[in-house]
Amino acid sequence: MKDSKVILEKTEVICENTLAFTFDSRDTDYNFKAGQYAHFTLTDPKFSDERGNTRALSFANAPNEYHKFVIAARINSSVFIKNLQSLDPGSGVFISKPGGGLTLHSDSSVSAVFISGGIGITPLRSILEDMFSRKLPHRINLFYMNKKETQIAFMDDFEKWAGENKNFKFIPLIDDRENKNWKYEFGPFNTEMLDRYIKNIRNNIYYITGPAKLVDSVMELLLDKNVTPENIRIEKFK
């Protein structure tokens, strides 16, 4: 598939320092699988750096018949994100064919554990929304780590899905122990927390997404618990 041109529909703040970008692809035949990513290329960017004007970004929503898709990004020092943030609705962006193999396993009798941090949550949200829209019977626990409650992307969605689906448990963690109204867990994610929530640890498939340091540390923890490498799927975010 050659690069397709999609149209920015809207940009919105979804949590602290985090933006969601909704694109319209109705004039293309573009399709992707939940959990995949694509390379986005900006034309005539206002700012430039040595990394260029193309980045790989994960889809944050489920494939749907409306030919719209969402990506999300933290606002940081990235020149690419600065350029993306400056686009007006109606602007065109080129997108590559989808890639990545972080898709939901087919055997619903095997439970899954999703472990993510920061904006690494996007492919997992895509998988979950697709799973719920298709009414798949998979059992999933989601551990989602952030520094503060205000930095949790898609919090309302995860809480809503957890309330509606008995097979989905949402376990957000924050580092901010000064938050006295927090009703969930405080970090860090460790062996004790895994033991508390997950039974038969070796009999699950694990999906780990987020910064490389987080992914590597969680993978080491799982290997120490004798989880086989074949049951660990990862995606590292830069």
Side-chain angles (χ1 to χ4, degrees), residues 35-224:
Q36 289 190 303
Y37 64 85
H39 288 86
F40 289 75
T41 302
L42 307 179
T43 59
D44 301 319
K46 294 181 179 180
F47 313 99
S48 62
D49 66 1
E50 66 279 358
R51 293 188 63 191
N53 62 338
T54 298
R55 294 290 188 282
L57 295 166
S58 293
F59 299 105
N61 66 309
N64 59 63
E65 69 273 22
Y66 304 110
H67 300 291
K68 297 182 188 295
F69 62 81
V70 177
I71 59 173
R74 296 289 201 209
I75 302 171
N76 51 32
S77 59
S78 166
V79 171
F80 180 87
I81 299 303
K82 187 176 181 180
N83 282 319
L84 188 59
Q85 187 181 355
S86 71
L87 293 180
D88 295 322
S91 299
V93 173
F94 286 98
I95 179 173
S96 73
K97 63 182 180 181
L102 195 79
T103 53
L104 186 64
H105 60 282
S106 58
D107 185 356
S108 63
S109 68
V110 181
S111 299
V113 180
F114 289 0
I115 306 169
S116 187
I119 203 59
I121 194 65
T122 50
L124 301 183
R125 186 199 178 280
S126 175
I127 292 171
L128 287 168
E129 184 176 58
D130 184 59
M131 185 183 81
F132 297 135
S133 67
R134 294 165 58 197
K135 295 180 171 56
L136 299 180
H138 293 65
R139 297 182 302 277
I140 294 180
N141 286 269
L142 168 62
F143 294 92
Y144 182 26
M145 292 165 269
N146 286 276
K147 291 181 179 179
K148 300 185 295 181
E149 181 179 4
T150 53
Q151 295 177 340
I152 302 175
F154 308 111
M155 178 76 166
D156 290 344
D157 293 332
F158 296 132
E159 288 188 320
K160 175 177 178 291
W161 291 334
E164 295 174 345
N165 299 273
K166 64 180 181 180
N167 287 339
F168 175 57
K169 187 171 184 61
F170 177 45
I171 310 134
L173 299 83
I174 60 172
D175 296 333
D176 179 18
R177 293 181 176 271
E178 298 300 315
N179 186 340
K180 303 303 180 183
N181 296 318
W182 182 242
K183 62 181 180 179
Y184 294 105
E185 295 284 357
F186 291 101
F189 178 82
N190 53 27
T191 299
E192 183 274 331
M193 188 167 296
L194 185 67
D195 288 336
R196 183 145 46 95
Y197 282 99
I198 307 301
K199 297 181 180 179
N200 303 315
I201 290 175
R202 294 186 61 191
N203 298 331
N204 296 274
I205 295 179
Y206 294 83
Y207 297 72
I208 317 169
T209 63
K213 185 176 180 180
L214 180 149
V215 172
D216 290 342
S217 65
V218 172
M219 188 167 182
E220 182 178 356
L221 182 156
L222 294 175
L223 293 174
D224 286 344

